[in-house]
Amino acid sequence: MKTAVETVFVGRDRLYNRRFLQMCSHYLIEPVACTPASGWEKGQVENQVGLVRERFFTPRLRFKNYDELNAWLTDKCIAYAKAHRHPELTEQTIWKCSRPSEASSSLCGPVRRLPRGAGIGLQDLPGALRQQ
C-alpha cells in the first residue's frame, strides 16, 4: 500500500487511500492524520504506544512470601548499585561508595506488606527497578 493520505486539504480534511479506508472500515477505526510539519503530534502517538506496550506486555512478578520478595529486591538493588555511577562521586559506582555489608540495608529496606493481597506486580516497584 502507498501512503495512507493521498491529499492534504486545509485544516484537518484529508483524502485517504482507498485500500487504507477499506482496512479502517474492516477494523472499525476512524483514521486521524497528523498535521504536516507538526512533529509534536507524532510524539504523542508514540508515547501512547509505549504506554500500551509497558502495561500489557511487561510480565508481572509474583512472590509467595515476603522473604522471596525481599531477596529479589535486594538482588535488584545490588545490581543497580553496581551498574550505576554515584551522582556526586561520578568516578565510582554506588556500590563502591557503600560498604557491601551496609549496601543491601541502605539501598533497600524490607517490605512489610504486599499490596493487593495476592502478590506484587512489577508496576508497583520504583521506576529505577522497573527498568532493570
Side-chain angles (χ1 to χ4, degrees):
M1 177 171 61
K2 295 181 180 182
T3 59
V5 177
E6 290 183 356
T7 307
V8 178
F9 299 110
V10 177
R12 290 236 174 235
D13 295 332
R14 306 285 187 268
L15 176 62
Y16 294 102
N17 183 318
R18 179 184 57 83
R19 294 186 68 195
F20 177 71
L21 286 175
Q22 287 175 347
M23 180 191 70
C24 290
S25 67
H26 176 77
Y27 289 106
L28 302 174
I29 59 172
E30 183 178 338
V32 177
C34 294
T35 309
S38 296
W40 59 271
E41 289 183 0
K42 184 180 177 209
Q44 288 176 344
V45 172
E46 290 176 356
N47 288 341
Q48 291 172 3
V49 169
L51 181 68
V52 168
R53 282 184 183 160
E54 182 181 334
R55 286 188 179 169
F56 295 116
F57 299 111
T58 302
R60 290 187 173 206
L61 301 174
R62 300 288 177 197
F63 301 97
K64 294 179 183 174
N65 55 37
Y66 298 114
D67 293 332
E68 221 179 273
L69 170 63
N70 286 324
W72 183 84
L73 284 172
T74 301
D75 290 343
K76 284 295 184 182
C77 288
I78 291 171
Y80 181 85
K82 287 181 177 180
H84 291 83
R85 300 251 173 234
H86 191 278
E88 294 171 0
L89 307 171
T90 55
E91 67 279 350
Q92 294 182 357
T93 62
I94 298 170
W95 181 256
K96 287 189 179 186
C97 292
S98 307
R99 284 184 275 167
S101 62
E102 297 174 357
S104 61
S105 63
S106 66
L107 292 175
C108 302
V111 175
R112 303 283 181 227
R113 66 178 179 86
L114 293 175
R116 299 188 193 129
I120 185 170
L122 188 60
Q123 71 280 0
D124 299 320
L125 298 175
L129 293 176
R130 249 185 279 147
Q131 295 173 356
Q132 289 293 316

